[in-house]
Amino acid sequence: MDATTTTTDTAGPTPFTLRVTAGFGLLLLVACLVATGMITLGDAIEGDGRGGIFITAGFWALLAGAVAGLAALIVPRRGLVIAQYCLAIGGPFLALMD
């Protein structure tokens, strides 16, 4: 006789865990938005008074991270949460490159 075993364990995080992680990612996005704004103001005072292409790219990365975070709250996927965190951290780094 064959004995079959079934397990209900999931290989990845639960949807609730992904939603909580995405919620904390939105808080990280707000902190990164403040940091990017401070970097932009510092560059405007010390530099030529206008933002460059990397500052614009930093703010667009934060916007894309917010969209990914909201999508991760609606449809919890690991890839969306990873993209949200990467874009959040990428925003200030792009602004620093200017």
Side-chain angles (χ1 to χ4, degrees), residues 8-9 13 27-28 44 50 52 66 77 79 85 90 92-93 95:
T8 58
D9 294 337
L27 294 174
L28 175 68
R50 61 183 179 91
R77 299 284 185 260
Y85 276 81
F93 281 125

Side-chain angles (χ1 to χ4, degrees), residues 5-88:
T5 52
T6 59
T7 60
T8 58
D9 294 337
T10 58
T14 63
F16 177 75
T17 305
L18 288 172
R19 283 189 173 115
V20 169
T21 307
F24 284 123
L26 290 175
L27 294 174
L28 175 68
L29 277 163
V30 170
C32 288
L33 177 66
V34 170
T36 305
M38 289 172 40
I39 292 167
T40 302
L41 289 175
D43 184 57
I45 292 171
E46 295 171 0
D48 57 358
R50 61 183 179 91
I53 189 76
F54 286 113
I55 288 178
T56 305
F59 282 114
W60 277 106
L62 291 174
L63 177 66
V67 170
L70 290 175
L73 284 174
I74 296 169
V75 182
R77 299 284 185 260
R78 183 185 298 172
L80 286 173
V81 175
I82 292 171
Q84 175 191 14
Y85 276 81
C86 290
L87 288 167

